[in-house]
Amino acid sequence: MHKIDIELVEMTLDVMKYAIDRISHTKPKVGKPQKAEELKALVGETVTPKGIGGEYAFNLWKQHLAKANVPVDHPRNLAFVPAAPTRAAVMFDLVTSASSIHGAYWMEGAGGIFCENEAMKWIVSLTGLPEGAFGVFTSGGTAANLSAIVTAREHWREDDTYKREKGLIITSIGAHSSIKAMAKVADVDIMLVDTEEKLSGKALRETIDNLNFHQRKRLFAVVATGGTTNAGIIDDLEGIAEVCDAEKIWFHVDAAYGGGALAADSVRHLFNGIERADSITIDPHKWMFSPYDCGAVIYRRPEFAKKAHSQDGSYLDIFKDEGAHGFNPTDYQIQLTRRVRGLPLWFSLATHGTDKYKESVERGIELAQIAGKMIEEDPNVELVREPSLSCVLYRRIGWKPEDYTHWTYENHSKGFALVTPTKWKNGDAFETVSRFCFINPDTTEEDIRMILDTMA
Ligand SMILES: *Cc1c(COP(=O)(O)O)cnc(C)c1O
C-alpha cells in the first residue's frame, strides 16, 4: 500500500493543493446542508468492491459533498459556537494525521505528547490552579465533562459510607446539555437550580440547605459554568467555591466555551474563583482556535483522575527504554487510543505566541460590545441583556418565533450568513430571540452591520 507510484504522488499533490486552497480562503462559501437522498442521487455508489478511484471520489467531494457542509470559520457564521482554527493549527493537523502517532502512551507518542503538554501548561497557567494541577486533551467538552464527573464520583466513593449510594450533582439550567447527558452516562442524578442567569453561591447554599438528609448524603459535586453556551454568563465561581469548600464537595467548572477568555485581561476577573476548582473543562476547538476536535480537562489533583481512568497498561512496564516512561494521556480521561489532538494547538501557539491568542480572544469580546452598541442605536432591534463574553442576545421588535426562523433561512440560503435564533427565559416563558456568538477575529463591523440590516 505504501509503494510510491506516480498516481499516488499526483493524488497527494491534488489533496495538498485543495488543503492549501481551503486554508487560504478566509471567506469560504457559507455552505448548505442537503438531504441524504439528494446527495446520494448526486454521487451514486461510492463504496464498491472495486473502488471508484481516488480521483473520481475526490471530484465528487469537491463538486457536491464539500458544498453540503457549513464551514464554522466563515466570518458571518455566528451561530451556536462557531470556530476559527488558525492556519498554523490546520496545517499541523495535516502533519498530525500524516505522522500516525498513537497518543495514548508516552512510549509511542513521546514527541507528540511532549508538545501537547507544553500547550497544556499554558492553558493550566491561565486557570491559576496551584502547582501540580494538570490536564489532558480530549475529543471535546462532553468527554472532558464526563472524565471529570467520573473522577469526582470515584473519588467520593472511595469512602465506604458512599460505596452503594447513587451520586447527585447540582448545576443550573444554564449548564450545557452535555452535563445532563454525561450525568446519565455516569448514572448520577442531577438537580438544576432554576436560573439561566449567574448561579450565585447564595443560591447554591439555599439549594443545599433544602436537600433532605439522603439527598445531601448523595451530593458529591457541583458544576458551575464559566461562560454559558447560550449567553456567555459566568457563574459566581468565588461564591460557589466557598460553598463547595465548606461542604467538601467536588467543584467542577465547565468553561468549554468561555475558557478561551481566561486569556483576556478585560474579563479575567469575572472568572475569579476558578483557581479553586477541582476540575475544569476548556475546549480549544471553541475559543482557542484549534481545529476539531480538541477539548481539555484539567484537574487540581491529576492523581485522582489516574485512579479513576487508568486502564492498567501493565504490559507497558516491560519497556526497558528509559524514554518510554512518561505521561500517559489515557490515564486521565475516558479514551484509550487517541489522536494527539493537542498537537495542532501546540504548533499554532509556538508559531504565533500567546499574546496573539490574547488579542484574538479580546477581539471577539470587542465585537460583542460593538454589536451591542449597534443594536442599541438601531430602532428595529433591542438587547435582551448586556453582551457577555462574545455572546449577544437581542430581539427584533415585533417578531414572532417564525419570523426569526424565516430570517435565518433566508440569510443562509442566499449564502450570506448563518445566524440562528435561541430561546431565552423571560419570566416563566421562553422567548425566541436572535443571538450572535463571535469567535472569528476576521469578522468585521461591516459584517455585523449587514446582518442587522437584513432585519430592517
Ligand atoms: C460546547 C460546550 C460543551 C460540549 O463540548 P463539545 O466539545 O461539543 O463536546 C460543554 N459545555 C459547554 C459550556 C459548551 O459550551
Side-chain angles (χ1 to χ4, degrees):
M1 238 172 113
H2 285 141
K3 198 182 85 184
I4 301 289
D5 56 39
I6 296 292
E7 236 174 273
L8 181 64
V9 171
E10 279 179 355
M11 192 74 243
T12 309
L13 289 174
D14 278 355
V15 169
M16 288 302 160
K17 187 173 167 300
Y18 175 88
I20 291 166
D21 222 48
R22 177 62 181 83
I23 300 174
S24 46
H25 268 79
T26 51
K27 279 195 190 173
K29 293 237 160 46
V30 171
K32 201 170 163 313
Q34 274 179 285
K35 282 182 102 64
E37 300 86 84
E38 289 172 334
L39 292 175
K40 185 76 184 185
L42 286 169
V43 306
E45 289 302 331
T46 52
V47 178
T48 67
K50 301 272 181 259
I52 59 172
E55 201 183 326
Y56 187 65
F58 194 33
N59 275 330
L60 292 177
W61 171 257
K62 285 187 282 194
Q63 275 179 17
H64 304 297
L65 301 166
K67 293 172 187 164
N69 301 300
V70 182
V72 288
D73 58 340
H74 191 286
R76 286 192 299 273
N77 183 341
L78 307 177
F80 316 114
V81 178
T86 66
R87 288 168 198 170
V90 175
M91 279 190 281
F92 228 67
D93 209 40
L94 299 176
V95 173
T96 305
S97 289
S99 305
S100 295
I101 300 165
H102 191 294
Y105 300 117
W106 187 265
M107 186 267 140
E108 286 187 293
I113 297 165
F114 172 84
C115 296
E116 284 195 313
N117 289 353
E118 292 296 299
M120 183 57 74
K121 278 182 206 162
W122 174 66
I123 299 177
V124 174
S125 76
L126 298 176
T127 66
L129 282 169
E131 189 73 30
F134 206 58
V136 63
F137 293 100
T138 64
S139 62
T142 304
N145 284 333
L146 177 60
S147 300
I149 289 170
V150 169
T151 299
R153 198 264 319 273
E154 292 304 292
H155 180 61
W156 171 67
R157 273 200 188 153
E158 270 177 29
D159 185 330
D160 276 343
T161 329
Y162 307 117
K163 273 250 151 29
R164 267 167 292 280
E165 295 290 347
K166 185 175 186 189
L168 173 69
I169 294 175
I170 295 179
T171 188
S172 81
I173 60 167
H176 188 263
S177 53
S178 65
I179 298 295
K180 289 157 239 177
M182 292 307 104
K184 235 183 256 174
V185 173
D187 194 29
V188 300
D189 285 326
I190 194 156
M191 184 176 275
L192 301 175
V193 180
D194 187 19
T195 180
E196 217 183 326
E197 288 288 349
K198 189 193 262 220
L199 173 64
S200 67
K202 188 164 163 283
L204 175 63
R205 177 84 266 160
E206 279 163 17
T207 307
I208 294 177
D209 288 347
N210 283 327
L211 296 177
N212 65 35
F213 178 79
H214 192 217
Q215 284 172 322
R216 175 61 194 90
K217 187 177 176 193
R218 292 167 51 215
L219 176 68
F220 71 97
V222 169
V223 177
T225 309
T228 60
T229 319
N230 205 18
I233 297 163
I234 300 156
D235 288 339
D236 166 23
L237 303 180
E238 193 76 68
I240 295 169
E242 205 66 54
V243 176
C244 290
D245 234 19
E247 296 286 326
K248 299 202 166 26
I249 39 189
W250 190 277
F251 176 33
H252 178 66
V253 179
D254 181 3
Y257 150 63
L262 290 167
D265 297 337
S266 67
V267 295
R268 179 58 181 83
H269 63 281
L270 300 173
F271 291 90
N272 285 350
I274 198 170
E275 71 286 352
R276 297 171 68 177
D278 292 294
S279 53
I280 303 171
T281 289
I282 297 177
D283 263 356
H285 67 205
K286 279 183 174 155
W287 215 355
M288 285 182 178
F289 316 105
S290 284
Y292 296 141
D293 41 27
C294 185
V297 58
I298 300 162
Y299 304 95
R300 164 183 298 270
R301 307 275 303 271
E303 63 271 25
F304 295 158
K306 193 169 183 178
K307 252 185 156 168
H309 292 291
S310 176
Q311 295 192 25
D312 260 340
S314 43
Y315 44 89
L316 288 175
D317 299 337
I318 62 165
F319 286 104
K320 249 182 106 171
D321 185 346
E322 283 284 324
H325 301 280
F327 183 84
N328 296 322
T330 181
D331 287 345
Y332 303 92
Q333 43 81 48
I334 57 169
Q335 192 175 7
L336 181 66
T337 304
R338 64 183 280 283
R339 178 181 182 81
V340 273
R341 51 170 50 87
L343 194 50
L345 173 64
W346 165 79
F347 184 69
S348 182
L349 279 167
T351 301
H352 296 296
T354 57
D355 283 353
K356 190 81 189 163
Y357 274 70
K358 208 185 260 283
E359 284 162 32
S360 303
V361 172
E362 289 283 14
R363 180 63 184 159
I365 295 165
E366 189 180 37
L367 284 166
Q369 293 299 325
I370 290 169
K373 284 216 178 63
M374 286 182 177
I375 289 163
E376 280 179 329
E377 286 159 11
D378 184 331
N380 294 316
V381 288
E382 62 187 15
L383 286 173
V384 171
R385 61 190 311 287
E386 285 296 305
S388 192
L389 294 182
S390 67
C391 291
V392 186
L393 299 187
Y394 65 102
R395 65 172 68 84
R396 166 66 166 80
I397 296 161
W399 272 14
K400 296 189 187 60
E402 56 271 27
D403 296 320
Y404 290 98
T405 318
H406 181 71
W407 172 74
T408 294
Y409 171 77
E410 283 287 306
N411 278 340
H412 188 195
S413 58
K414 282 183 203 138
F416 167 63
L418 185 66
V419 183
T420 47
T422 187
K423 287 196 164 68
W424 181 249
K425 199 167 184 223
N426 194 350
D428 277 339
F430 281 91
E431 182 189 353
T432 298
V433 299
S434 188
R435 172 178 172 277
F436 292 143
C437 180
F438 297 101
I439 296 286
N440 193 336
D442 290 339
T443 302
T444 62
E445 294 189 35
E446 185 58 21
D447 287 322
I448 305 171
R449 180 75 273 155
M450 288 193 294
I451 293 169
L452 288 175
D453 283 350
T454 61
M455 280 187 149

